[in-house]
PDB file of all heavy atoms in Angstrom:
ATOM      1  N   LEU A 723      48.047  59.514 218.571  1.00 98.00           N
ATOM      2  CA  LEU A 723      48.255  60.725 217.769  1.00 98.00           C
ATOM      3  C   LEU A 723      47.538  60.596 216.431  1.00 98.00           C
ATOM      4  O   LEU A 723      46.865  61.524 215.968  1.00 98.00           O
ATOM      5  CB  LEU A 723      49.756  60.980 217.563  1.00 98.00           C
ATOM      6  CG  LEU A 723      50.097  62.257 216.795  1.00 98.00           C
ATOM      7  CD1 LEU A 723      49.521  63.503 217.466  1.00 98.00           C
ATOM      8  CD2 LEU A 723      51.614  62.410 216.630  1.00 98.00           C
ATOM      9  N   GLU A 724      47.660  59.430 215.818  1.00 97.00           N
ATOM     10  CA  GLU A 724      46.976  59.199 214.549  1.00 97.00           C
ATOM     11  C   GLU A 724      45.459  59.293 214.733  1.00 97.00           C
ATOM     12  O   GLU A 724      44.746  59.846 213.902  1.00 97.00           O
ATOM     13  CB  GLU A 724      47.382  57.813 214.007  1.00 97.00           C
ATOM     14  CG  GLU A 724      46.571  57.308 212.826  1.00 97.00           C
ATOM     15  CD  GLU A 724      46.487  58.305 211.678  1.00 97.00           C
ATOM     16  OE1 GLU A 724      47.417  59.109 211.523  1.00 97.00           O
ATOM     17  OE2 GLU A 724      45.453  58.276 210.951  1.00 97.00           O
ATOM     18  N   PHE A 725      44.963  58.736 215.852  1.00 98.00           N
ATOM     19  CA  PHE A 725      43.520  58.772 216.142  1.00 98.00           C
ATOM     20  C   PHE A 725      43.036  60.216 216.230  1.00 98.00           C
ATOM     21  O   PHE A 725      42.000  60.586 215.684  1.00 98.00           O
ATOM     22  CB  PHE A 725      43.265  58.047 217.467  1.00 98.00           C
ATOM     23  CG  PHE A 725      41.814  57.775 217.758  1.00 98.00           C
ATOM     24  CD1 PHE A 725      41.135  56.761 217.101  1.00 98.00           C
ATOM     25  CD2 PHE A 725      41.130  58.530 218.705  1.00 98.00           C
ATOM     26  CE1 PHE A 725      39.795  56.502 217.386  1.00 98.00           C
ATOM     27  CE2 PHE A 725      39.802  58.283 218.990  1.00 98.00           C
ATOM     28  CZ  PHE A 725      39.125  57.266 218.331  1.00 98.00           C
ATOM     29  N   ARG A 726      43.823  61.062 216.905  1.00 98.00           N
ATOM     30  CA  ARG A 726      43.426  62.467 217.042  1.00 98.00           C
ATOM     31  C   ARG A 726      43.454  63.169 215.684  1.00 98.00           C
ATOM     32  O   ARG A 726      42.546  63.922 215.334  1.00 98.00           O
ATOM     33  CB  ARG A 726      44.350  63.179 218.041  1.00 98.00           C
ATOM     34  CG  ARG A 726      44.075  62.765 219.475  1.00 98.00           C
ATOM     35  CD  ARG A 726      44.987  63.470 220.478  1.00 98.00           C
ATOM     36  NE  ARG A 726      44.497  63.267 221.840  1.00 98.00           N
ATOM     37  CZ  ARG A 726      44.759  62.190 222.573  1.00 98.00           C
ATOM     38  NH1 ARG A 726      45.521  61.217 222.098  1.00 98.00           N
ATOM     39  NH2 ARG A 726      44.231  62.066 223.781  1.00 98.00           N
ATOM     40  N   ARG A 727      44.498  62.917 214.924  1.00 98.00           N
ATOM     41  CA  ARG A 727      44.602  63.578 213.618  1.00 98.00           C
ATOM     42  C   ARG A 727      43.454  63.159 212.710  1.00 98.00           C
ATOM     43  O   ARG A 727      42.846  63.975 212.022  1.00 98.00           O
ATOM     44  CB  ARG A 727      45.946  63.211 212.973  1.00 98.00           C
ATOM     45  CG  ARG A 727      46.313  64.118 211.819  1.00 98.00           C
ATOM     46  CD  ARG A 727      47.521  63.656 211.067  1.00 98.00           C
ATOM     47  NE  ARG A 727      47.983  64.691 210.148  1.00 98.00           N
ATOM     48  CZ  ARG A 727      47.333  65.082 209.059  1.00 98.00           C
ATOM     49  NH1 ARG A 727      46.159  64.541 208.749  1.00 98.00           N
ATOM     50  NH2 ARG A 727      47.838  66.041 208.279  1.00 98.00           N
ATOM     51  N   ARG A 728      43.152  61.859 212.728  1.00 97.00           N
ATOM     52  CA  ARG A 728      42.091  61.316 211.866  1.00 97.00           C
ATOM     53  C   ARG A 728      40.743  61.945 212.197  1.00 97.00           C
ATOM     54  O   ARG A 728      39.896  62.115 211.341  1.00 97.00           O
ATOM     55  CB  ARG A 728      42.025  59.794 212.079  1.00 97.00           C
ATOM     56  CG  ARG A 728      41.176  59.061 211.081  1.00 97.00           C
ATOM     57  CD  ARG A 728      41.184  57.569 211.338  1.00 97.00           C
ATOM     58  NE  ARG A 728      42.524  56.984 211.258  1.00 97.00           N
ATOM     59  CZ  ARG A 728      42.793  55.691 211.479  1.00 97.00           C
ATOM     60  NH1 ARG A 728      41.827  54.847 211.789  1.00 97.00           N
ATOM     61  NH2 ARG A 728      44.021  55.239 211.396  1.00 97.00           N
ATOM     62  N   ASN A 729      40.535  62.254 213.475  1.00 98.00           N
ATOM     63  CA  ASN A 729      39.225  62.748 213.885  1.00 98.00           C
ATOM     64  C   ASN A 729      39.135  64.272 213.985  1.00 98.00           C
ATOM     65  O   ASN A 729      38.121  64.805 214.437  1.00 98.00           O
ATOM     66  CB  ASN A 729      38.834  62.126 215.232  1.00 98.00           C
ATOM     67  CG  ASN A 729      38.349  60.706 215.042  1.00 98.00           C
ATOM     68  OD1 ASN A 729      37.268  60.491 214.495  1.00 98.00           O
ATOM     69  ND2 ASN A 729      39.168  59.739 215.421  1.00 98.00           N
ATOM     70  N   SER A 730      40.180  64.949 213.549  1.00 98.00           N
ATOM     71  CA  SER A 730      40.145  66.415 213.599  1.00 98.00           C
ATOM     72  C   SER A 730      38.981  66.950 212.768  1.00 98.00           C
ATOM     73  O   SER A 730      38.648  66.411 211.710  1.00 98.00           O
ATOM     74  CB  SER A 730      41.453  66.987 213.040  1.00 98.00           C
ATOM     75  OG  SER A 730      41.341  68.398 212.901  1.00 98.00           O
TER      76      SER A 730
END
Side-chain angles (χ1 to χ4, degrees):
L723 183 57
E724 169 52 28
F725 191 76
R726 287 180 168 83
R727 196 188 191 291
R728 191 179 300 178
N729 282 290
S730 171

